Amino acid sequence: MKSARAKTPRKPIVKKGSQTNLKDPVGVYCRVRPLGFPDQECCIEVINNTTVQLHTPEGYRLNRNGDYKETQYSFKQVFGTHTTQKELFDVVANPLVNDLIHGKNGLLFTYGVTGSGKTHTMTGSPGEGGLLPRCLDMIFNSIGSFQAKRYVFKSNDRNSMDIQCEVDALLERQKREAMPNPKTSSSKRQVDPEFADMITVQEFCKAEEVDEDSVYGVFVSYIEIYNNYIYDLLEEVPFDPIKPKWNSCSTPMRNTDFVPPQSKLLREDKNHNMYVAGCTEVEVKSTEEAFEVFWRGQKKRRIANTHLNRESSRSHSVFNIKLVQAPLDADGDNVLQEKEQITISQLSLVDLAGSERTNRTRAEGNRLREAGNINQSLMTLRTCMDVLRENQMYGTNKMVPYRDSKLTHLFKNYFDGEGKVRMIVCVNPKAEDYEENLQVMRFAEVTQEVEVARPVDKAICGLTPGRRYRNQPRGPVGNEPLVTDVVLQSFPPLPSCEILDINDEQTLPRLIEALEKRHHLRQMMIDEFNKQSNAFKALLQEFDNAVLSKENHMQGKLNEKEKMISGQKLEIERLEKKNKTLEYKIEILEKTTTIYEEDKRNLQQELETQNQKLQRQFSDKRRLEARLQGMVTETTMKWEKECLLFQPDQNAPPIRLRHRRSRSAGDRWVDHKPASNMQTETVMQPHVPHAITVSVANEKALAKCEKYMLTHQELASDGEIETKLIKGDIYKTRGGGQSVQFTDIETLKQESPNGSRKRRSSTVAPAQPDGAESEWTDVETRCSVAVEMRAGSQLGPGYQHHAQPKRKKP
């Protein structure tokens, strides 16, 4: 079973920026020609009026391992094998001709493989005129009665038109008619029977809303692009009877031999439009004259017999129809002699040469070179379409290679927005053209996605419309008689006034009687006329009064509306002022909001910083607590071990161990005497031999001794100074530091013999040598001299001193 493969969906066109000019896609139509033989294999099928489907022929499937696919392509409209030239013209070319008459440019070209029916579509055949003769017929049907006289418009070499007055145009016509062998005018010229059937169009076609206050002139030109050179097909090649011509063998040619035409160059006019410099433009006044000019150039076009087509076009042909339009003056009698008011529009009908593969045409020599140039120009056209499509879809600005080919360079203005562009893709459904048709369909698919700016309407000259017929005398409408004729017919006829005899007494009395009757009838008609005139005047007066009253009424309504409008304007002004005030307040609030948001961001950053700082402090605190907990656990275990070692026998009575003072004679002591102690005058003074006296406990002294003694002074309850000697043993810790375990306290106290007490103020503290207040308040504070390891301590690597509390801030 055959499986149909749908076409890849088209990507949406990306429109760049905001564009004020409207754009239309290139209108691409497809026309399928009938097969040459009924039993011939077909590769194209018309699905509906917008879609065709390509089938892979049997031969291609065998060569490609049975690979079979069906591809569908969509067009603006598809014309089948039974489509008439009239139907094609009405859809494709009629709108272009209508735009031409209204001052807009148009481009229509046929594209396809050799033998697909391009020339038949454009030119036609006997009895079946193509698009070109039908366009000419519609133009002259529309402007036939409004054409300017010959030579009123005169072309120049700058792609513009000059305008002449009626006298100058008449002199030039007489001058041309006086020339030897003048051309026969179009009214006296008989139509060439060779193309008479092509221009005989049965259907009458005319443009809508033609400007009657303008005059028109039609100019045609015909060129061909052969081997990427431009040639003028209407150029009259001169003969030089004096100067000899030389051939390639350096021998003189006959003077009457044909001189090859010279190629033309492309130029750019002041409006940046491309045109062929020196191209012949012929003014024509009828369809027959215009088609005869075309037929004369068609005979010069290069055609050749190839394997695919007996009369294959070897060049691209361009038939230009230029319509010149100029308004009439204020009186409507003559053409307005202002060159700025001339409107020039152009319709280009292009018959492209067929794309072909040289291995199928079996071309050699010049035919091979022609085929290469044809394919190269068509490839340049495809490249330009691809770049235009890419620039419009993706917003790029790639340079379009118009100058790579004369064909694309000539029509670059149409793709830049100087007119409407339409293309008819002609296809031959025979299986042998499958691959060529596939390439044609792909090119048509790309072309449909190119958009061209819509041309603007022409400016209005500003003169009063209807001036052509305003000053012309008008006769009776239809067959109605004049009023004077009716009145004269109502009078009685006059008798014969001829007097043959001198004694005739009847002729004059009869004449007098008839005249009196006429006079009486005239008087009655005058009275009736006056009566009706007075009645009509009364009606007019009544009508004037009614109109006046209505005007007064309307004026009163108008005044009320004006008052209402004035009040609404005042209200609008008030609302605008209020709106400006609110906008100013909104602006202030927006600025305030911006400031607050900035402050909010700063506060949030500061809050985050503080939170991070608190987190770090909390982490440090937890680490410190864990370390202190470990120290407490370690110290507890040590004390438990020591208690187990010194635990007395359970059967022995408990004995309190007392250290003899004499035992300390052999140990080394640290004698800790704070600088805040006062010198007493007691006879007994504490003295320890071999002691290291320090005012502040430090690691170095503790490491050298085994015993520790702290001299502590405090004020007793009786007001006397009491000196306590706090003793302890020094142990080494696992962390490499020293700890002190206090074992005994000795007290020295001085008392008066008569029991009297020297009271001192308990609030007065002993003076400090350095003037600083003592921070040692009790025994517990003075005895906290344990030394432990901590990283970063100033006492050494890994030690912490607990005997120096922090000083309070002032």
Side-chain angles (χ1 to χ4, degrees):
M1 184 176 179
K2 299 179 181 180
S3 61
R5 182 176 65 86
K7 186 181 67 173
T8 304
R10 186 181 304 170
K11 297 181 180 179
I13 295 179
V14 179
K15 296 184 179 181
K16 47 180 183 175
S18 67
Q19 297 179 349
T20 57
N21 294 333
L22 298 177
K23 289 189 175 183
D24 296 320
V26 175
V28 181
Y29 303 84
C30 178
R31 186 179 193 185
V32 183
R33 66 163 291 176
L35 288 171
F37 304 98
D39 57 346
Q40 199 171 9
E41 184 181 3
C42 179
C43 66
I44 295 178
E45 178 185 358
V46 179
I47 303 299
N48 51 44
N49 60 348
T50 59
T51 308
V52 297
Q53 182 169 297
L54 264 70
H55 305 277
T56 306
E58 294 293 338
Y60 289 89
R61 277 182 276 170
L62 295 175
N63 295 334
R64 289 165 173 77
N65 300 324
D67 184 17
Y68 181 76
K69 60 181 180 180
E70 296 177 348
T71 311
Q72 293 185 358
Y73 293 92
S74 298
F75 297 87
K76 193 169 184 179
Q77 187 165 340
V78 175
F79 300 95
T81 56
H82 301 290
T83 302
T84 62
Q85 300 279 49
K86 175 66 167 55
E87 295 172 351
L88 182 67
F89 170 79
D90 290 341
V91 175
V92 181
N94 189 304
L96 295 179
V97 178
N98 195 52
D99 288 346
L100 175 73
I101 295 175
H102 290 86
K104 299 178 183 178
N105 299 330
L107 171 63
L108 173 62
F109 58 95
T110 56
Y111 181 84
V113 187
T114 297
S116 59
K118 300 185 300 300
T119 303
H120 171 76
T121 299
M122 186 63 69
T123 307
S125 58
E128 216 175 1
L131 298 180
L132 190 149
R134 291 178 184 271
C135 289
L136 293 172
D137 188 67
M138 180 177 175
I139 291 172
F140 288 105
N141 287 340
S142 304
I143 67 168
S145 59
F146 307 133
Q147 290 191 69
K149 295 182 179 180
R150 199 181 295 267
Y151 306 123
V152 169
F153 298 111
K154 189 175 181 181
S155 63
N156 54 34
D157 295 334
R158 299 181 299 278
N159 198 30
S160 61
M161 287 286 169
D162 297 328
I163 188 168
Q164 299 185 124
C165 64
E166 294 286 348
V167 177
D168 293 338
L170 178 61
L171 292 176
E172 186 163 354
R173 286 196 300 272
Q174 294 175 352
K175 180 180 178 181
R176 296 293 180 93
E177 291 174 358
M179 292 175 62
N181 298 326
K183 295 182 179 178
T184 309
S185 62
S186 60
S187 60
K188 300 179 181 180
R189 183 186 300 114
Q190 293 184 355
V191 180
D192 191 341
E194 189 176 3
F195 59 83
D197 293 340
M198 293 186 184
I199 61 175
T200 303
V201 180
Q202 301 296 332
E203 303 85 0
F204 182 82
C205 188
K206 181 180 179 181
E208 299 177 356
E209 299 179 358
V210 180
D211 187 6
E212 298 178 350
D213 295 321
S214 298
V215 293
Y216 300 86
V218 180
F219 293 80
V220 296
S221 60
Y222 196 19
I223 64 170
E224 71 169 350
I225 302 176
Y226 175 72
N227 287 341
N228 207 27
Y229 289 97
I230 300 176
Y231 296 97
D232 184 4
L233 296 177
L234 302 181
E235 184 179 18
E236 298 291 341
V237 180
F239 294 89
D240 193 346
I242 300 177
K243 185 176 179 181
K245 308 298 178 182
W246 300 86
N247 57 17
S248 58
C249 300
S250 298
T251 57
M253 299 168 56
R254 289 183 299 171
N255 294 334
T256 57
D257 285 349
F258 175 73
V259 179
Q262 296 295 321
S263 62
K264 304 297 181 180
L265 299 178
L266 289 178
R267 292 285 185 268
E268 190 176 51
D269 62 11
K270 62 180 181 179
N271 297 322
H272 305 288
N273 295 323
M274 304 306 301
Y275 70 99
V276 180
C279 180
T280 304
E281 290 184 339
V282 181
E283 185 178 8
V284 291
K285 293 298 179 181
S286 64
T287 304
E288 295 78 11
E289 183 182 1
F291 199 81
E292 182 182 356
V293 173
F294 165 75
W295 199 254
R296 189 169 69 246
Q298 185 75 357
K299 293 181 179 180
K300 297 181 181 179
R301 189 179 175 189
R302 291 171 173 83
I303 59 174
N305 184 7
T306 65
H307 184 69
L308 299 180
N309 192 355
R310 185 171 57 86
E311 293 183 355
S312 174
S313 302
R314 312 311 297 166
S315 63
H316 309 299
S317 67
V318 181
F319 186 75
N320 292 318
I321 305 173
K322 185 176 292 186
L323 183 67
V324 187
Q325 178 180 354
L328 294 173
D329 57 10
D331 296 331
D333 297 330
N334 300 313
V335 183
L336 188 65
Q337 297 293 317
E338 293 183 10
K339 189 175 180 180
E340 294 77 12
Q341 296 294 337
I342 296 178
T343 301
I344 301 176
S345 54
Q346 179 172 296
L347 175 61
S348 297
L349 303 176
V350 184
D351 182 11
L352 296 177
S355 60
E356 54 191 20
R357 288 184 297 168
T358 55
N359 58 351
R360 291 191 61 204
T361 58
R362 301 176 185 176
E364 296 179 355
N366 291 334
R367 300 288 86 81
L368 182 63
R369 179 189 175 192
E370 292 168 355
N373 286 313
I374 292 171
N375 294 334
Q376 181 63 35
S377 61
L378 296 177
M379 183 61 66
T380 303
L381 179 61
R382 295 183 185 181
T383 304
C384 292
M385 293 296 179
D386 288 334
V387 176
L388 283 171
R389 170 178 170 270
E390 183 178 354
N391 289 343
Q392 294 173 4
M393 290 184 64
Y394 305 108
T396 58
N397 194 20
K398 292 185 178 180
M399 186 182 68
V400 184
Y402 291 120
R403 294 178 177 269
D404 291 354
S405 171
K406 292 291 182 14
L407 177 67
T408 55
H409 193 193
L410 178 60
F411 297 115
K412 66 179 290 293
N413 304 103
Y414 288 93
F415 296 102
D416 292 339
E418 289 296 331
K420 188 178 294 184
V421 181
R422 291 193 173 183
M423 179 177 72
I424 301 177
V425 175
C426 299
V427 291
N428 191 338
K430 64 180 182 180
E432 290 81 358
D433 289 346
Y434 170 75
E435 290 191 358
E436 287 84 353
N437 288 332
L438 192 62
Q439 298 298 327
V440 169
M441 293 295 177
R442 291 173 180 171
F443 170 66
E445 186 178 25
V446 173
T447 306
Q448 289 184 99
E449 298 179 357
V450 176
E451 290 186 342
V452 178
R454 188 176 298 176
V456 297
D457 296 331
K458 66 175 183 178
I460 301 176
C461 64
L463 297 175
T464 306
R467 55 191 180 277
R468 177 185 287 271
Y469 299 115
R470 184 176 57 192
N471 297 328
Q472 294 183 2
R474 305 225 175 181
V477 179
N479 296 323
E480 295 181 2
L482 295 175
V483 178
T484 55
D485 296 337
V486 176
V487 173
L488 291 176
Q489 289 176 6
S490 63
F491 287 116
L494 293 175
S496 177
C497 300
E498 185 178 4
I499 299 177
L500 301 177
D501 189 4
I502 190 171
N503 296 319
D504 187 1
E505 296 179 357
Q506 296 180 358
T507 302
L508 288 178
R510 284 197 300 267
L511 180 60
I512 292 172
E513 183 181 1
L515 290 175
E516 286 179 352
K517 289 181 180 180
R518 285 198 171 201
H519 177 72
H520 180 68
L521 184 59
R522 177 176 177 274
Q523 191 65 35
M524 290 176 58
M525 293 179 67
I526 290 174
D527 294 339
E528 183 66 22
F529 176 77
N530 292 331
K531 182 179 178 180
Q532 292 182 2
S533 176
N534 293 330
F536 184 70
K537 286 181 180 179
L539 291 174
L540 285 178
Q541 186 66 31
E542 184 180 354
F543 180 74
D544 289 341
N545 294 333
V547 171
L548 183 60
S549 62
K550 288 185 178 180
E551 286 181 355
N552 295 333
H553 178 72
M554 294 303 295
Q555 186 65 32
K557 292 286 186 181
L558 184 61
N559 293 334
E560 292 179 1
K561 295 294 183 182
E562 287 180 352
K563 290 180 181 179
M564 185 184 300
I565 292 173
S566 300
Q568 291 178 352
K569 285 183 178 179
L570 294 175
E571 182 67 17
I572 290 173
E573 291 178 358
R574 186 185 65 81
L575 292 176
E576 286 180 351
K577 291 180 180 178
K578 185 177 179 180
N579 187 26
K580 289 182 180 179
T581 304
L582 293 176
E583 287 179 353
Y584 179 70
K585 290 182 179 180
I586 290 173
E587 185 178 358
I588 293 176
L589 290 176
E590 288 178 350
K591 291 181 180 178
T592 306
T593 304
T594 304
I595 295 173
Y596 285 163
E597 287 180 352
E598 185 67 24
D599 294 342
K600 179 182 177 181
R601 286 195 295 268
N602 295 335
L603 291 175
Q604 286 180 349
Q605 293 178 359
E606 185 176 357
L607 180 61
E608 291 177 358
T609 304
Q610 294 296 334
N611 288 336
Q612 293 176 1
K613 185 176 181 180
L614 288 175
Q615 290 292 338
R616 288 195 298 269
Q617 291 179 357
F618 182 69
S619 300
D620 295 341
K621 182 179 178 181
R622 284 189 296 181
R623 287 196 296 271
L624 182 59
E625 287 178 354
R627 182 175 295 173
L628 291 176
Q629 186 66 30
M631 292 170 55
V632 170
T633 303
E634 183 181 357
T635 305
T636 303
M637 293 175 63
K638 181 178 180 182
W639 285 353
E640 288 176 355
K641 288 181 181 180
E642 289 180 356
C643 290
L644 290 174
L645 290 175
F646 293 99
Q647 185 176 4
D649 191 1
Q650 297 180 357
N651 298 323
I655 302 173
R656 183 180 179 184
L657 296 178
R658 302 284 294 181
H659 295 283
R660 294 175 58 87
R661 189 175 296 175
S662 60
R663 288 181 60 190
S664 63
D667 295 330
R668 191 84 179 267
W669 287 76
V670 174
D671 188 3
H672 183 186
K673 292 181 178 182
S676 60
N677 288 353
M678 296 179 60
Q679 187 69 27
T680 60
E681 297 178 356
T682 58
V683 176
M684 298 181 64
Q685 294 286 339
H687 176 69
V688 181
H690 307 291
I692 300 175
T693 303
V694 294
S695 60
V696 177
N698 57 70
E699 178 190 359
K700 185 175 181 182
L702 293 175
K704 294 181 180 180
C705 301
E706 295 81 14
K707 298 292 184 178
Y708 175 80
M709 183 178 68
L710 170 64
T711 303
H712 173 66
Q713 290 181 346
E714 63 182 7
L715 191 64
S717 59
D718 56 359
E720 297 295 337
I721 296 177
E722 186 178 56
T723 303
K724 292 183 179 181
L725 302 178
I726 304 170
K727 296 180 289 184
D729 296 331
I730 300 173
Y731 298 96
K732 293 184 178 180
T733 63
R734 291 182 179 180
Q738 290 80 22
S739 65
V740 177
Q741 183 177 1
F742 296 101
T743 58
D744 195 6
I745 299 176
E746 294 183 5
T747 304
L748 298 178
K749 185 177 182 182
Q750 183 179 5
E751 295 181 355
S752 176
N754 54 8
S756 61
R757 298 178 180 176
K758 296 181 181 179
R759 297 196 176 271
R760 297 182 180 178
S761 175
S762 61
T763 60
V764 179
Q768 299 297 327
D770 54 356
E773 182 181 359
S774 176
E775 296 181 359
W776 296 71
T777 58
D778 52 10
V779 177
E780 288 78 10
T781 304
R782 289 174 179 270
C783 293
S784 57
V785 294
V787 181
E788 290 296 335
M789 179 184 296
R790 188 177 74 87
S793 176
Q794 296 179 354
L795 302 176
Y799 292 96
Q800 179 180 9
H801 201 297
H802 296 277
Q804 299 182 12
K806 296 181 180 179
R807 295 185 179 272
K808 297 181 180 180
K809 294 182 180 180

